[in-house]
Amino acid sequence: MDIFEELNVKGFVDEPIDPSLDLFDEIERIKKEKNAVILAHYYQEPDIQDIADYIGDSLGLSQQAAKTDADIIVFAGVHFMAETAKILSPEKKVLLPDLKAGCSLSDSCPPHLFSKFKEKYPDHIVITYVNCSAELKALSDIVCTSSNAVQIVDSLPKDQKIIFGPDKNLGRYVQKMTGRDLVMWNGACMVHEIFSRQRIIKLKERHPEAKFIAHPECEESILEMADYAGSTTGLLNYATKSEAKEFIVATESGIIHQMEKANPGKVFIPAPPNNTCACNDCPHMKRNTLEKLYLCIKNELPEVSVPMDIVEKARMPIERMLEISARLGL
């Protein structure tokens, strides 16, 4: 099996690594040699966050992908994030440590079905959450992230009719915050839908001084309990600025690494899911490892590609998001 067949089957380069290698040093060396930049999402494992040139949420990562002068972008995240980087920088080589690092939310909205859904509302503009495929972005008028969704909707005329997809929970949150009536696609993130209200109530009873903070992809019943709801970056900033010493965190547990680094005197407790699995760890995000990242940058594989006709259509709604965000100072 050659390396390309292996990528089709496994999704990543699988070759032996000398156990004596210091992977942090090797990645830094190769990165400089190839003029590569590593962008990592907050949900990546701590080792990857620590080696990254930039760590952020979807909005921050999109902004970095648009302005980097690197020749190679190594995206430590999931597939739609690497696609977004390729759309914004089609002339650059974009790598993803594991091609099978997908997204349950993105998968919940097949573009061909969304296209039919969109046809029912010809007088609506389409705002899609960045957590979707390149094909879905190409069907959109504006892309948003959890950091700017409320402000983007608020920036539009009050009589503008809007389709919002694919995340119904974020859509409900935006609807509540803006007072706008949105037509919503029925999609969701499996990680953010799994939190248990009953178990969080019990946890709050054991930690009465703890602030409960939650991502707006969580269900409405969870958000109603939150002392603060916001994007991944918003949660991190709130925890840093708050006087509280304990926090119960309802989002993917990878963010806790940055929370602990920024706030060494504070305690961060992952909100419990409604079963015994570690379902507040995204299995797609966690497919990436330091070893896969090393082999990816060394071999310049796997590479993410997006057809040029999709790049051209999808670029406009992403650039519109970046333009609105810049105008609003986000």
Side-chain angles (χ1 to χ4, degrees), residues 241-259:
K241 292 173 184 173
S242 172
E243 297 291 319
K245 297 299 180 189
E246 285 187 305
F247 299 84
I248 299 167
V249 184
T251 190
E252 213 276 352
S253 63
I255 186 60
I256 288 178
H257 180 58
Q258 292 302 318
M259 289 177 170

Side-chain angles (χ1 to χ4, degrees), residues 68-193:
T68 183
D69 58 2
D71 296 316
I72 297 173
I73 298 172
V74 185
F75 216 115
V78 293
H79 199 271
F80 77 79
M81 296 177 175
E83 281 186 333
T84 304
K86 187 66 178 177
I87 291 163
L88 289 168
S89 299
E91 74 288 355
K92 298 184 188 300
K93 182 176 280 192
V94 177
L95 309 175
L96 183 67
D98 191 327
L99 284 177
K100 296 196 175 182
C103 172
S104 60
L105 175 56
S106 180
D107 291 345
S108 73
C109 192
H112 68 287
L113 296 181
F114 188 82
S115 182
K116 297 286 185 189
F117 179 75
K118 178 182 169 182
E119 286 172 11
K120 297 180 192 175
Y121 306 96
D123 56 346
H124 289 54
I125 71 163
V126 177
I127 300 178
T128 52
Y129 187 27
V130 71
N131 297 29
C132 66
S133 66
E135 290 82 3
L136 200 71
K137 290 179 177 74
L139 293 168
S140 309
D141 297 293
I142 311 175
V143 169
C144 72
T145 72
S146 55
S147 291
N148 60 20
V150 169
Q151 293 91 332
I152 283 175
V153 169
D154 264 339
S155 75
L156 300 174
K158 296 292 182 192
D159 59 350
Q160 177 62 64
K161 295 178 180 178
I162 300 167
I163 295 170
F164 189 93
D167 192 286
K168 63 183 178 184
N169 293 318
L170 179 59
R172 286 194 196 108
Y173 173 78
V174 171
Q175 192 164 257
K176 182 179 178 182
M177 298 299 288
T178 62
R180 304 287 283 266
D181 185 22
L182 307 178
V183 173
M184 283 180 272
W185 178 266
N186 187 28
C189 162
M190 67 183 192
V191 174
H192 289 95
E193 283 223 313

Side-chain angles (χ1 to χ4, degrees), residues 37 39 53-54 59-71 73 84-85 87-92 315 319 322 330:
V37 65
L39 307 183
D53 297 291
Y54 178 84
L59 174 59
L61 292 167
S62 297
Q63 290 166 330
Q64 289 295 318
K67 70 184 187 183
T68 183
D69 58 2
D71 296 316
I73 298 172
T84 304
I87 291 163
L88 289 168
S89 299
E91 74 288 355
K92 298 184 188 300
R315 189 182 180 103
E319 288 184 336
L322 294 173
L330 300 174

